[in-house]
Amino acid sequence: MPTSSRNRFLKDFPAALHEGVGAVFVGAGVSKAAGYPTWAELLKDIGEELGVRSSDIQDLAALAQWHISESGAATGVRNVIRQEIGKDRPVPPTLEVLARLPVRQIWTTNYDRLVERAFAVINRPVDVVSGAADLSLRARPGAARLYKMHGSVDRMDDIVISTDDYELYRSKRGAFLPLLQAHLSSMSVLFIGLSLTDPNVRHVLSLIRESFTEAPPEHFAIVKPPSLADCSSEDEFRARTAQHKHWAKDLHRYGLRTIEVEHYDEIPELMRQVERRVAAMRVWVSGSWPLDGDDGRAGDLYRLSEAVGGLIADTGRDLVSGSGLLVGPAVIGGFIDRLRQDGGWDLDRRLIVRPFPQPLTDREPDQKRWTALRAEMARQAGIVIFLGGAKLEGGSQIVADGVLKEFEVAREAGAFILPIGATGGAAEQIAQDLTGSAIPSQGASAARPTDEELAVLSNQATTPDKLLKLVREILQRLAKPQDDN
């Protein structure tokens, strides 16, 4: 794919997701990647009954219409769709990543239930809107919305399949259109799996043209050009390739930047890069300290933690916190205080807190729940700052093993590890482990500060102001595109 389009996409779309203005449109190519038949394959037998080859027909909705007219009912076409699309096929990796992204608005013209099942795997709520009447239902708090604008396989009497359905769309399902137009006007939409032969796409593109005749908003489309394996002959391959080139170029009229992939297998990795870019805009602060420790460091650590929280807010990043003893509340307090200076209106979006359930004095912690929470926070954040990390056990202050576990989880998740070793406890031990290690400290794959930076961060003689200045410099460096040497 052209480097400029790819870089633009990896810069702008993750930013749109982070700002809450990113949406996704799932096209037929995603269903094909999961093993579902294309429209042409789906209607192959239907076409043969009429004496035509579905592969020769561009307007496949018309083919469905011809069969309905000949048979007198839509039953035959619907039975084919139920039989082929009603099967549960494996959820493709592309949708596994999509379910993890902070996207709240998802559109599709596909009938299958792949998106719903991808969300169910991670217990993330999604409201399915597959009929016009569903649009009047109040969205559940925290749930993403999936707009199945051409219906769903579990509601076969209300799907869009024929020319009649398209021509009468505005009268039967027209309530979808103003909302889709609003999203196309105010959000950055990523189209995945658009196909030249998809009979649904032209309706979506026409909505952009209706709203913006001169300068449409910028959207992105991940598309796959035809391959020789997809064609019955070299002549067909050349013809379809020529069509694709003109079609991809024509998408610019609608404000769509195309990112081409040679194989559908490339899309999951591209989406994972988006996920990593979004994660890099979130900072998880891990740490703890006993309030009644005997070393007198609790006050200094509290003030530094507050300042780190404010610094995260200043750099435009989100805060992820498990609200650990002393450190967690201090970081959250500093983060909120800094946001309030600018009104604090986006606090609900920028603060992600997963408090650890604390056991009663006569019970042991729920390690299974704690492990799940750590894994979730590691997935949410691309940068992890470690502050302190100590606890009391048997009257003595020791390194908090929970913070060390969070270090291991964060490292396995590929996060950038930033320990402020001067705060002692687990952070000091983590800094020692990283110094001189094989974990890269420079380039696009950097996952820790340099040895020189770790030395400054671990020096107890370094003033709080200098510690904060260095942390800010590291965060700013991570925000810029990096090249591996």
Side-chain angles (χ1 to χ4, degrees), residues 160-193:
V160 175
I161 53 177
S162 65
T163 304
D164 270 349
D165 295 326
Y166 287 108
E167 292 176 348
L168 299 176
Y169 192 93
R170 290 184 181 277
S171 63
K172 292 185 176 182
R173 304 174 69 85
F176 281 96
L177 302 182
L179 184 58
L180 178 55
Q181 283 180 304
H183 289 176
L184 291 169
S185 302
S186 60
M187 307 184 81
S188 179
V189 181
L190 169 62
F191 293 82
I192 309 174

Side-chain angles (χ1 to χ4, degrees), residues 402-478:
V403 177
L404 294 178
K405 290 178 182 178
E406 290 172 4
F407 163 59
E408 294 297 334
V409 170
R411 186 169 63 175
E412 290 175 5
F416 186 95
I417 309 297
L418 205 170
I420 303 181
T423 57
E428 182 178 9
Q429 183 173 325
I430 292 168
Q432 292 172 354
D433 291 344
L434 291 179
T435 301
S437 71
I439 298 174
S441 62
Q442 296 179 330
S445 57
R448 67 173 179 89
T450 65
D451 286 352
E452 292 77 11
E453 290 168 336
L454 286 170
V456 175
L457 292 169
S458 299
N459 189 342
Q460 294 191 10
T462 305
T463 65
D465 286 345
K466 288 185 177 180
L467 289 173
L468 292 168
K469 181 175 182 292
L470 180 53
V471 171
R472 180 185 291 273
E473 290 173 355
I474 293 171
L475 293 179
Q476 289 174 336
R477 182 174 76 229
L478 294 175

